[in-house]
Amino acid sequence: MASKVQKPLPKATVAMVEESQAAGRVREIYDDIKATKKIDFVPNLWKTLASHPPLLEQIWMRLKVTMAPGRLDALTKEMIALAVSATNGCSYCVNSHTVAVKKLGLDNEGLGELMAVVAMFNATNSLAEGYQIEPDIVPEV
Amino acid sequence: MASKVQKPLPKATVAMVEESQAAGRVREIYDDIKATKKIDFVPNLWKTLASHPPLLEQIWMRLKVTMAPGRLDALTKEMIALAVSATNGCSYCVNSHTVAVKKLGLDNEGLGELMAVVAMFNATNSLAEGYQIEPDIVPEV
Amino acid sequence: MASKVQKPLPKATVAMVEESQAAGRVREIYDDIKATKKIDFVPNLWKTLASHPPLLEQIWMRLKVTMAPGRLDALTKEMIALAVSATNGCSYCVNSHTVAVKKLGLDNEGLGELMAVVAMFNATNSLAEGYQIEPDIVPEV
Amino acid sequence: MASKVQKPLPKATVAMVEESQAAGRVREIYDDIKATKKIDFVPNLWKTLASHPPLLEQIWMRLKVTMAPGRLDALTKEMIALAVSATNGCSYCVNSHTVAVKKLGLDNEGLGELMAVVAMFNATNSLAEGYQIEPDIVPEV
Amino acid sequence: MASKVQKPLPKATVAMVEESQAAGRVREIYDDIKATKKIDFVPNLWKTLASHPPLLEQIWMRLKVTMAPGRLDALTKEMIALAVSATNGCSYCVNSHTVAVKKLGLDNEGLGELMAVVAMFNATNSLAEGYQIEPDIVPEV
Amino acid sequence: MASKVQKPLPKATVAMVEESQAAGRVREIYDDIKATKKIDFVPNLWKTLASHPPLLEQIWMRLKVTMAPGRLDALTKEMIALAVSATNGCSYCVNSHTVAVKKLGLDNEGLGELMAVVAMFNATNSLAEGYQIEPDIVPEV
């Protein structure tokens, strides 16, 4: 149960590269992150990945392509990201994707519907596994 | 690695209640499932949950409410269900939600974008956890 | 969706040590498994772990101690094992623990209640993570 | 590794509905939660779900039915809830279900046996998956 | 429990692009996969991702960079991939990474040690979560 | 999103057995842990498991055997432990195994490569599950 005693919160396991320390390719990626996301700071995920610049580059380049609107719009993609993060229990990720869906206009009612769907299927997933449900034989769609 | 020898596939751990055996409340729920989902058969998930009728009733009643369109439309809800199922690795669930999103019009390009988002954030979730990324301090939205 | 075409089912990634091949310490452990579990065959889990005998020994010795009745009885321990396996989606494990709980007397109603609890808390777990619920401040128990 | 520097702990991603703000159906459910659980406060899970009242109602109504003693008693159901929460790594949930099992009389020895079972089968689950153990062919029970 | 009746095994939810059908960029990537991995066939993962060519390209390009030997050698990277896949319970992935570690020389003893480590820490992970172990206060390394 | 308000961090759900309180077998195990790991304090994991001494003994004895160098060296085993912990999102575990790999000489570049592999295969695992990729038919190795 929760303690009344104050305890330190763990921090990242490596030192982050602060914006003031960023140079060269890291600097360019930081600028691209702020411009692409229309934010005035570099989130800690990226400042941590910069501890190994090739990882920062790979992940950012792939994320930028993945999140560009296509058949699915930006809000749908962020809602899916939030559903994945809630299912995995990733605290940092849930917080950042919740900020994103709110900025894109999702209100508490929409967020509640999203969470209801996430909860429903985490429940049915465990039932399908817990009973080892047989695959349905259905015509190809 | 995959064998060339044919092996039996596990089946559900309890006997399913076939439509021909369904009576009373189970019969009513089976009819409601087919009418609500506009399908002419009862999926194995429901025929298995019917091995304990109160479970069939609880899950179906909640799923029916959860999936009714609201702020989020039916396709968005099914895509979220598929994202959760892919993240959990639930075979039965992935198969059934894929049938659903295709029926609702998602093509291979849309499904590919959905899977790209699921893959992207399963990757970043493991990075946020693997480095124990510190929470961003951002203004309330 | 499920295919109508027959496909091979993957088999274990290493060759199992069949009972007829077991010698020395592996033979002794196989006999102990059958005597302890009161079964007349060695389950595939153990025949596979025997591909590296120290692993067979470590896991069996620990499982034997863990499953011995103490404050919790055998059925309670097997139900917990099944709940963990359903949550993780481990097919082999769900099948073997379901056989065990049935042998210990759990009927479809009891199994249905167990699955209802597993489903309920997989749902609330995703909600607690999805909303990043704050810890309750409660008096120590 | 843990920092010596104090950091803020993330809080819920939506504003909780405090008891003083609760009205109508939310007020009734809060009263039902306190009466049913025999506690004098509303846990944060429920105050957060109240940000979308239909979600509060769906989850509470289903939890109330699921946790009512049947074939399985209240302590068994809470132990299963704790096993699921430990397996999923849900901090809020582990804390609240631990309070519950202690209130129902489980001592450190009983909790230790429960955790030993949870740890044992999270281990064997990964072995069954890691070796892709073949299903046992056993007679139906 | 396992059935004695033969059942169909689910297949991929989209049609794979067979090598005979591959053209243009997909054809080039298929050739690069075979050359890079020194195999004479294209694994089903890639033939399935080709149902949405941009996904095939993104994932292959990133995998090729990620798996190139650096501080960690090829066998170490494949063992980590297998540990992740066993922990997630991904059948296809466990099978393909097991083929890879064997090709790179890991024998049953080495594979057994790897699985022992995977099992050990899936156990301790559930204990750390199940007891909500407090972070150690240790000096920075 | 992260709050600016200081909140208490949850602590372990049971009282830890401090070194000053340890006696008999617990005392011996604490000494063995410090000698084996060459550290001058007992990590919180062990002080918490000591709340049920048989659990402390089982887990420590098995961990000591599992982590002894064999075909795989100590660093490889710790990297695998970190990969499993990142995949499961176990905060305590990620922190302690990161300390261990750094002590064994892994620098930020090596840690970055490890995390890149963990992220890559958490992504492909979700793709293999999300598309239900068919098993490859490959010759036995």
Side-chain angles (χ1 to χ4, degrees), chain D residues 100-111:
Chain D
V101 294
K102 287 182 176 185
K103 274 190 182 169
L104 289 164
L106 197 71
D107 61 7
N108 280 358
E109 186 174 341
L111 186 61

Side-chain angles (χ1 to χ4, degrees), chain C residues 68-87:
Chain C
R71 289 289 171 101
L72 308 187
D73 60 30
L75 176 56
T76 300
K77 289 185 173 186
E78 284 291 348
M79 288 193 292
I80 292 163
L82 181 50
V84 167
S85 303
T87 298

Side-chain angles (χ1 to χ4, degrees), chain F residues 28-44:
Chain F
E28 290 169 23
I29 293 171
Y30 279 9
D31 292 340
D32 191 26
I33 289 167
K34 292 193 288 187
T36 304
K37 291 181 169 288
K38 299 183 178 55
I39 52 180
D40 59 7
F41 70 101
V42 177
N44 291 340

Side-chain angles (χ1 to χ4, degrees), chain A residues 44 71 92 107 113 136, chain B residues 44 71-72 92 107 113 136:
Chain A
N44 291 339
R71 290 286 171 105
Y92 178 85
D107 62 7
E113 284 189 15
D136 291 308
Chain B
N44 291 339
R71 289 289 171 103
L72 309 187
Y92 178 85
D107 61 8
E113 284 189 15
D136 292 308

Side-chain angles (χ1 to χ4, degrees), chain B residues 25-138:
Chain B
R25 188 69 185 122
V26 170
R27 170 80 271 154
E28 290 168 24
I29 293 172
Y30 279 9
D31 292 339
D32 190 27
I33 289 167
K34 292 193 287 185
T36 304
K37 291 180 168 291
K38 299 183 179 52
I39 52 180
D40 61 4
F41 70 101
V42 177
N44 291 339
L45 171 66
W46 308 109
K47 292 193 294 184
T48 304
L49 296 187
S51 63
H52 182 52
L55 183 59
L56 171 67
E57 174 136 26
Q58 281 175 50
I59 301 295
W60 170 246
M61 287 302 145
R62 196 152 94 77
L63 186 135
K64 194 177 172 181
V65 171
T66 304
M67 296 308 275
R71 289 289 171 103
L72 309 187
D73 60 31
L75 176 57
T76 300
K77 288 184 173 185
E78 283 291 348
M79 287 193 293
I80 291 163
L82 181 49
V84 167
S85 303
T87 298
N88 283 333
C90 180
S91 176
Y92 178 85
C93 314
V94 164
N95 283 299
S96 66
H97 294 299
T98 302
V99 171
V101 294
K102 287 182 176 184
K103 274 190 183 170
L104 290 164
L106 197 70
D107 61 8
N108 280 358
E109 186 173 343
L111 185 61
E113 284 189 15
L114 169 56
M115 289 300 154
V117 173
V118 167
M120 182 79 240
F121 294 103
N122 272 287
T124 55
N125 280 200
S126 64
L127 289 168
E129 297 288 4
Y131 277 120
Q132 290 291 295
I133 313 283
E134 299 176 57
D136 292 308
I137 305 303
V138 296

Side-chain angles (χ1 to χ4, degrees), chain F:
Chain F
M1 53 253 72
S3 158
K4 280 184 193 52
V5 184
Q6 204 51 270
K7 291 247 161 7
L9 184 70
K11 64 176 187 180
T13 58
V14 294
M16 296 194 287
V17 176
E18 297 302 334
E19 292 191 59
S20 59
Q21 305 166 298
R25 189 67 184 120
V26 170
R27 169 81 272 152
E28 290 169 23
I29 293 171
Y30 279 9
D31 292 340
D32 191 26
I33 289 167
K34 292 193 288 187
T36 304
K37 291 181 169 288
K38 299 183 178 55
I39 52 180
D40 59 7
F41 70 101
V42 177
N44 291 340
L45 171 67
W46 309 108
K47 292 194 294 184
T48 304
L49 297 187
S51 62
H52 182 53
L55 183 58
L56 171 68
E57 173 135 28
Q58 282 174 51
I59 300 295
W60 170 247
M61 286 301 144
R62 195 153 92 78
L63 186 136
K64 194 178 173 181
V65 171
T66 303
M67 296 308 276
R71 289 288 170 103
L72 308 187
D73 60 29
L75 176 57
T76 300
K77 288 184 173 186
E78 284 290 348
M79 288 192 293
I80 291 163
L82 181 50
V84 167
S85 303
T87 298
N88 284 332
C90 179
S91 176
Y92 178 86
C93 314
V94 164
N95 282 300
S96 67
H97 295 299
T98 302
V99 172
V101 294
K102 286 183 177 184
K103 274 190 182 169
L104 290 164
L106 197 70
D107 61 8
N108 280 357
E109 186 174 342
L111 185 62
E113 285 189 14
L114 169 56
M115 288 300 155
V117 174
V118 167
M120 181 79 239
F121 295 102
N122 272 287
T124 55
N125 280 200
S126 64
L127 289 168
E129 297 288 2
Y131 277 120
Q132 290 291 296
I133 312 283
E134 300 176 57
D136 291 309
I137 304 303
V138 296
E140 299 288 340
V141 174

